[in-house]
Amino acid sequence: MGILLALIPAIGWGIQPLIARKVGGTPANQIVGTGLGALLIGLIIWLINGSVSGTAFWLSFGAGFLWSLGQVGQYISFTHLGVTRTMPISTGLQIIGTSLIGVLAFGEWPGNTAKLIGAVAILLVIIGVALTAITDHKGQGATSIGYGLSILVPTTIGYWAYGALPKMIHAAGIQLFFPEMLGIFVGSLIYALVRTKGAALGTNLQLKCNK
């Protein structure tokens, strides 16, 4: 049952970039739309299951806020790398980072055998990411890919934080959902205000009204 539940976000994670590219818009438009959707779902979950408070709330909020950093980096990379190159690299970097944090900070993979197998697995992921990032394009294409990687790699830290911070909270995962989604919304709002001086907000509202 647990594996089946884990497949649901995996499927959504795979479909989401395709929808984002199909809908179009700038990365600012896409992250604002993501933030609004996250806030709406977060409010529904809050009304049904409640939320945490105090330090747990702010740690969860911070996790969501930093997730928005990783997500906007991914949206920007779609433009320069394409979905088919961005997603394998992004996913691989997330696996590497969250696995290392789990082992070093939270004592996961107990025992030498588990650590050895895990280290080999991470090494294989690193090789896969490196091979995915390699390109034989010249000129403008290589410049665009280099820029995309320069955005994608450091912003993936946001995903790492999103995976690590909730582990510091002793509460039901469903109760962390609202502050995380609120953090995503605030992060997307700040990015749109800084990057487009609020223009992306107007564009999103206009698109909603037209629909």
Side-chain angles (χ1 to χ4, degrees), residues 75-167:
Y75 283 147
I76 294 171
S77 298
F78 288 160
T79 304
H80 300 277
L81 301 176
V83 173
T84 55
R85 178 174 274 127
T86 297
M87 289 307 295
I89 296 174
S90 177
T91 303
L93 291 173
Q94 291 174 59
I95 292 172
I96 294 167
T98 53
S99 297
L100 290 175
I101 291 172
V103 173
L104 298 176
F106 300 104
E108 297 179 358
W109 298 357
N112 293 329
T113 302
K115 286 184 174 61
L116 177 61
I117 295 173
V120 172
I122 289 178
L123 179 61
L124 291 175
V125 172
I126 292 173
I127 293 172
V129 169
L131 292 175
T132 303
I134 291 175
T135 178
D136 57 2
H137 291 294
K138 304 295 183 182
Q140 184 62 33
T143 301
S144 182
I145 290 170
Y147 179 78
L149 289 173
S150 72
I151 296 295
L152 181 63
V153 174
T155 55
T156 301
I157 294 174
Y159 287 135
W160 297 352
Y162 179 78
L165 288 177
K167 290 181 174 291

